[in-house]
């Protein structure tokens, strides 16, 4: 206590040195009106010698208790009794501090005000004060050489000690400097040199009149406050009308810096925030800037007074201009700034290196590069980064360049970072307005300075909005970890995400995405790759020539390069690039290059596509219509998606069930080379597939059709073949057709070597199979049939080949153009059944059961052969029947028949071919022609075998005979409706028509039935009813007879005529019925030629009798001819004998 009292007494002596420290000459020459006090103020009663004598006595006798006391003066006695506790009355400095730190609304008597002012002024005019300072701070001066070398007697020594008070460790000296500083800062006129430097600015800014006529005449803190406001306001204006002089600016900043440790020294802020300090920071000890920080933290509390909030904002703005105005930040980071070479020009208070943003960028760069920055400094940086994000007004560039946007869109949202996020929202285009480039750049610079990507807690608006999401979805991540933001992005548009968090997150990510360095994990993993491949600079250095997002675009282009292409990313960097690609694909605005190049196209084509992910899908849908620059970037992104579909995070989320059920193996692969999308396509119709996933997969398939480069596996497998065989072709469907045609031609011509490589042929098959699933994947077919689809198949869903099947079923009603395309499709499918999606889907299990060893192109043939098996699935059987019906409409749709009968068709059916066109069915006319020739036994063996199969199949199901169905539809409905309605067709309709032959009215139908009868004579297998009835008899009596050419039918007829043979009753009855039918047919339809007649004879039940009679007739004819010739010879011989001379004469003539 004794030491403390001695220090207090010494402080009284040291105040005398203010005559030099404050340049008394300036006070003597200043304007009386400006100073509000006389130039030579009169001493009040009792003060004629006290101010000069008492300090000297105090210096020589520090423990003396007698002398002049402020408490004894009549002018202040009443105020002292009312405001100051008694124990302070014996100490003049304590009384002075009590009275000048009173509450603002507490009024002092005018005489007391004047007394206090003269007391402080007279103290500063005593030249002996400096010698006491030298005594008290002797050891300190030996440590601070700069102050020890100051010239004595001019006040420079004390000024130097004030400047270096943070380095003073000596207790007495520290107390002396602290008390002295509080007195100095109580009035701007007592601050050394301040009046000289700022006199003109005080007048021009009208700051000297702040306290005129008010109650606190001796405290001029508001003058400093006014100048500080003018200084920060100047930085926020583009055009300065009355700029503050540079010397005054330095003086203002120096005063702010000197008052940074104790908020009592900032008199304007002290009086503005005294009650708020008691409310919020009562337990916070003054000194080291702690009260400032406490008040900053409560700045936006509802209970904070507006006056205090305004004063705190001014202080923060000064800190933004010079970090040294923050005592705690300057102290904590002093060594780190020197270590990281961040303060090269520290002799300039307002130089670039003094700005808070520069300090933060420099130190953040060191942290991101893994260099050591003290924890205390990082803690201070975190506080001030949060401060910048909370209050946009602390960034003069934003106030200057974003004023219009704030007034238009963001007024009234000043607190807790809301205005800044509102500007971000406008900046990313979420409202029907855009921001100017200068404002956009200011926002980008602020985000870089604050670096919220490193710690989400810096962004208070985001932190509050996303707290619940972080607690649920990201609770496994340490608070403050950079991966929190990544976690939030991964849960964007999920059930765990809330609306406010989603908006704040996207607003922040919009700006983070424009500077790759703002993702600390990406920067850490890719710093070397970016410098090597993308020519980047340091963390806190940016190139104006490099557009936003350019570095990341460079990185992701190298991320997906193959080893052959070289210059690839490191593994760790590639993982991070893929992570960010997956996250940013959720919103097109997070792709800076895409948004920059596609702004016009987005407005033109996609203005109504505002839902999640719709904008990119829209651009992909309109790829051909986009401007070249936009088309390029959309194409590049789509090409990346084809290699790594997980970039489309929304699709992956929608497809999670199907991935887990069927594609988890490929999904777990670290490198996705198109396998996952291929798996999703192959399992598109599994029960786990939901509508969102199916729509997404189909959309990507449709996009792939626009360019074969969008199918990664196809591109990699076939790029060499495409360049060689299909140059200048870009559309995938055209490339597939080109390569497929090449493969087909090489196969048909039995080329020694296929021109298309094996790996390409395999992938080509995959692409062909995928295209067959949806008509939209066949652009030419889809475009040709759009009207037919809307007219005939409007209720049918796309996918699963349902639309194609609908068109096939309504083929007769299709328009000519669509009909041609469908016919071509069927021709391809029949030659390659694997491309028949519906057949392969419906009969998948039956193919595994019956056709595992069959060639892919013979699958349908195999299924047909097993169609009537008891193990055949009914749905598959029905599908096989549909394909048989289609095949029988035109021989070109039956490749096996076409090959077997390639010589017979032009030989026997050329007239039919002459009437046909290339793309329309012949409605079974060629096959009907071949059937008739089969009955005439004139076909080649291979062709005969195929026609026999067709006859046997159509005999069981009338629908397989297009001519019969076409001509007998009405008759079937009239005569055989019940048989036609049967679910299982076993020849009952044809049997009905045969039985009712006499009732048939239409000649064309009757002719078809007669043809059936004629065909059945040639082979009993063509007549399923008869064959079933006579199966046992065939086995017993005709087992040795080969089928075909009517041989087995003749055998049965002979058995019927042979009384020794007993046929089965049903067989006998059926045979007799057939004989009657044939007899009627012979009458109704007589033989059209000798061959037809011969066939009728050979297949007639009375064949032997007819042949016998023919033989007898021939013998009789021979005898008649022989008798006539002999008779003629006899007559001739007789004539010669009767007229020999005449005969001889004729011989000579």
């Amino acid at each position: 206590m004794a030491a403390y009292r001695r220090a207090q007494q010494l402080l009284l002596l040291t105040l005398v040195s203010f005559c030099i420290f404050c340049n008394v000459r300036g006070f003597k020459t200043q304007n009386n009106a400006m100073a509000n006090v006389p130039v030579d103020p009169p001493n009040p009663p009792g003060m004629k010698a006290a101010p000069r004598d008492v300090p000297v006595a105090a210096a020589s006798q520090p423990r003396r208790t007698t002398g002049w006391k402020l408490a004894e003066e009549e002018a202040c006695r009443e105020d002292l009794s009312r405001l100051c506790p008694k124990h302070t009355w014996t100490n003049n400095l304590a009384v002075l501090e009590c009275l000048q730190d009173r509450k603002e609304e507490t009024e002092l008597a005018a005489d007391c005000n004047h007394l206090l002012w003269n007391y402080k002024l007279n103290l500063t005019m005593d030249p002996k004060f400096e010698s006491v300072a030298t005594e008290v701070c002797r050891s300190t001066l030996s440590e601070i050489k700069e102050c020890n070398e100051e010239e004595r007697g001019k006040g420079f020594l004390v000024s130097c000690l004030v400047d270096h008070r943070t380095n003073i460790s000596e207790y007495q000296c520290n107390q002396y400097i602290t008390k002295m500083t509080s007195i100095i800062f109580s009035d701007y006129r007592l601050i050394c040199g301040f009046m000289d430097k700022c006199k003109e600015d005080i007048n021009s800014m009208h700051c000297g009149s702040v306290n005129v006529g008010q109650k606190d005449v001796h405290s001029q803190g508001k003058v400093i406050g006014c100048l500080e406001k003018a200084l920060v306001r100047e930085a926020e204006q583009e055009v300065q009308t009355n700029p503050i002089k540079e010397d005054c600016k330095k003086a203002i900043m120096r005063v702010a810096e000197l008052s940074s440790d104790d908020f009592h020294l900032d008199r304007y802020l002290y009086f503005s925030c005294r009650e708020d300090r008691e409310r919020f920071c009562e337990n916070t000890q003054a000194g080291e800037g702690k009260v400032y920080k406490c008040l900053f933290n409560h700045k936006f509390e509802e209970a904070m007074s507006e006056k205090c909030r305004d004063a705190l904002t001014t202080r923060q703005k000064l800190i933004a201009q010079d970090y040294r105005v923050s005592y705690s930040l300057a102290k904590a980071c002093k060594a780190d700034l020197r270590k990281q070479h961040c303060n090269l020009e520290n002799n300039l208070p307002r130089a670039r290196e003094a700005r808070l943003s520069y300090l933060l960028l420099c130190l953040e760069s060191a942290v991101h590069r893994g260099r050591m920055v003290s924890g205390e400094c990082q803690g201070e940086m975190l506080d001030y980064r949060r401060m910048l994000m909370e209050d946009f007004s602390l960034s003069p560039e934003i106030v200057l360049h974003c004023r219009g946007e704030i007034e238009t869109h963001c007024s009234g949202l000043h607190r807790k970072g809301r205005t800044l996020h509102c500007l971000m929202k406008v900046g990313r285009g979420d409202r029907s307005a855009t921001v100017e480039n200068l404002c956009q750049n200011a926002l980008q610079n602020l985000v870089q300075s604050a670096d919220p990507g490193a710690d989400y807690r810096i962004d208070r608006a985001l932190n509050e909005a996303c707290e619940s999401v972080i607690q649920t979805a990201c609770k496994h991540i340490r608070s403050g970890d950079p991966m929190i933001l990544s976690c939030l992005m991964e849960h964007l548009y999920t059930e765990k995400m809330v609306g406010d968090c989603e908006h704040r997150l996207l607003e922040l990510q919009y700006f983070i995405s424009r500077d790759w360095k703002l993702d600390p994990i990406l920067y850490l993993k890719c710093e070397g790759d970016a410098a090597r491949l993308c020519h980047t600079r340091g963390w806190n250095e940016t190139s104006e020539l490099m557009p936003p997002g350019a570095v990341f675009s460079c990185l992701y282009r190298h991320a997906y390069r193959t080893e052959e292409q070289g210059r690839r990313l490191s593994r760790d960097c590639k993982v991070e690039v893929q992570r960010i690609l997956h996250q940013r694909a959720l919103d097109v605005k997070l792709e800076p290059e895409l948004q920059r190049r596609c702004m016009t196209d987005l407005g033109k084509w996609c203005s109504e596509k505002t839902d999640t992910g719709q904008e990119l899908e829209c651009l992909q849908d309109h790829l051909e219509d986009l401007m070249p620059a936009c088309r390029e970037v959309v194409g590049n992104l789509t090409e990346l998606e084809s290699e790594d579909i997980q970039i489309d995070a929304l699709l992956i989320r929608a497809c999670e069930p199907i991935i887990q059920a069927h594609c988890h193996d490929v999904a777990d692969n670290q490198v996705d080379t198109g396998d996952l999308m291929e798996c999703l396509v192959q399992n598109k119709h599994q029960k786990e597939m939901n509508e969102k996933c199916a729509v997404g997969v189909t959309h990507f398939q449709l996009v792939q059709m626009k360019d074969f480069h969008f199918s990664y596996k196809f591109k990699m497998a076939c790029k060499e073949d495409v360049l060689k065989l299909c140059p200048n072709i870009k559309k995938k469907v055209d490339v597939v057709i080109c390569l497929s045609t090449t493969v087909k031609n090489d196969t048909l011509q039995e080329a020694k070597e296929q021109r298309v490589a094996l790996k390409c042929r395999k992938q080509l098959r995959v692409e062909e199979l995928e295209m067959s699933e949806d008509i939209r994947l066949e652009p030419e077919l889809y475009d040709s049939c759009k009207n037919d689809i809307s007219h005939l198949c409007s209720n049918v869903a796309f996918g699963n080949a349902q639309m194609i099947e609908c068109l096939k079923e309504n083929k007769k009603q299709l328009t000519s153009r669509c009909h041609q395309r469908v016919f071509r499709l069927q021709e391809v499918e029949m030659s390659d059944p694997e491309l028949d999606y519906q057949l392969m889907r419906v009969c998948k299990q039956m193919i595994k059961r019956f056709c595992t060893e069959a060639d892919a192109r013979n699958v349908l043939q195999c299924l047909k052969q097993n169609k009537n098996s008891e193990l055949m699935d009914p749905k598959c059987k029905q599908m096989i029947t549909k394909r048989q019906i289609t095949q029988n409409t035109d021989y070109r749709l039956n490749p096996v028949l076409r090959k077997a009968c390639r010589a017979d068709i032009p030989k026997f059916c050329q007239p039919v071919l002459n009437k046909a066109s290339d793309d329309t069915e012949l409605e079974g006319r060629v096959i009907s022609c071949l059937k008739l020739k089969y009955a005439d036994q004139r076909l080649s063996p291979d062709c005969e075998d195929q026609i026999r199969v067709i006859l046997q199949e159509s005999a069981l199901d009338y629908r397989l005979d297009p001519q019969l169905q076409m001509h007998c539809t009405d008759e079937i409905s009239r005569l055989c409706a019940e048989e036609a309605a049967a679910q299982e067709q076993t020849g009952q309709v044809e049997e009905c028509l045969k039985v009712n032959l006499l009732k048939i009215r239409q000649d064309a139908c009757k002719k078809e039935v007669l043809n059936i009868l004629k065909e059945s004579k040639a082979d009993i297998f063509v007549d399923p009813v008869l064959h079933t009835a006579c199966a046992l008899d065939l086995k017993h009596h005709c087992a040795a007879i080969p089928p075909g050419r009517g041989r087995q039918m003749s055998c049965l007829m002979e058995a019927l005529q042979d009384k020794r043979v007993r046929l089965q009753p049903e067989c006998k009855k059926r045979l007799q019925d057939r004989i009657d039918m044939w007899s009627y047919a012979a009458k109704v339809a007589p033989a059209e030629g000798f061959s037809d007649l011969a066939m009728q004879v050979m297949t007639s039940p009375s064949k032997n009798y007819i042949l016998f009679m023919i033989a007898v007739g021939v013998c009789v004819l021979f005898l008649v001819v022989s008798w006539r010739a002999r008779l003629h010879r006899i007559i001739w011989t007789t004539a010669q004998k009767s007229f020999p001379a005449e005969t001889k004469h004729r011989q000579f003539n």
Side-chain angles (χ1 to χ4, degrees), residues 65 155 200 295 298 368 520 628 653 661 684 726 767 937 1076 1090 1132 1144:
T65 58
E200 293 181 8
L295 291 172
H298 293 86
H368 287 302
R653 289 177 189 171
K684 194 160 70 168
C726 311
E767 301 300 329
Q937 302 178 3
D1076 296 339
F1090 179 79
W1132 174 256
K1144 185 176 181 181

Side-chain angles (χ1 to χ4, degrees), residues 766-785:
V766 173
E767 301 300 329
E768 289 175 330
L769 294 176
E770 290 181 3
M771 288 168 59
S772 67
E773 185 267 338
D774 195 318
I775 191 173
R776 292 171 296 181
L777 302 180
E778 297 271 9
E780 292 187 2
L781 174 62
Y782 182 56
D783 292 340
S784 300
C785 295

Side-chain angles (χ1 to χ4, degrees), residues 1018-1072:
D1019 199 328
I1020 192 172
F1021 288 99
V1022 177
D1023 192 337
V1025 176
L1026 180 62
H1027 182 265
T1028 302
C1030 299
L1032 290 176
D1033 295 298
L1034 282 173
K1035 185 176 181 181
H1036 292 156
H1037 306 295
C1038 307
I1041 307 298
R1045 297 185 179 270
R1047 290 185 286 264
Q1048 290 188 335
M1049 184 65 76
S1050 297
C1051 173
L1052 287 175
M1053 289 299 180
E1054 290 175 358
L1056 179 63
Q1057 298 295 330
D1058 192 344
K1059 296 180 179 180
R1060 296 171 298 176
V1061 178
R1062 297 184 62 182
L1063 298 177
Q1064 294 292 323
E1066 184 65 20
C1067 178
K1068 188 173 182 179
K1069 179 180 180 300
R1070 293 293 180 183
L1071 276 174
Q1072 192 60 51

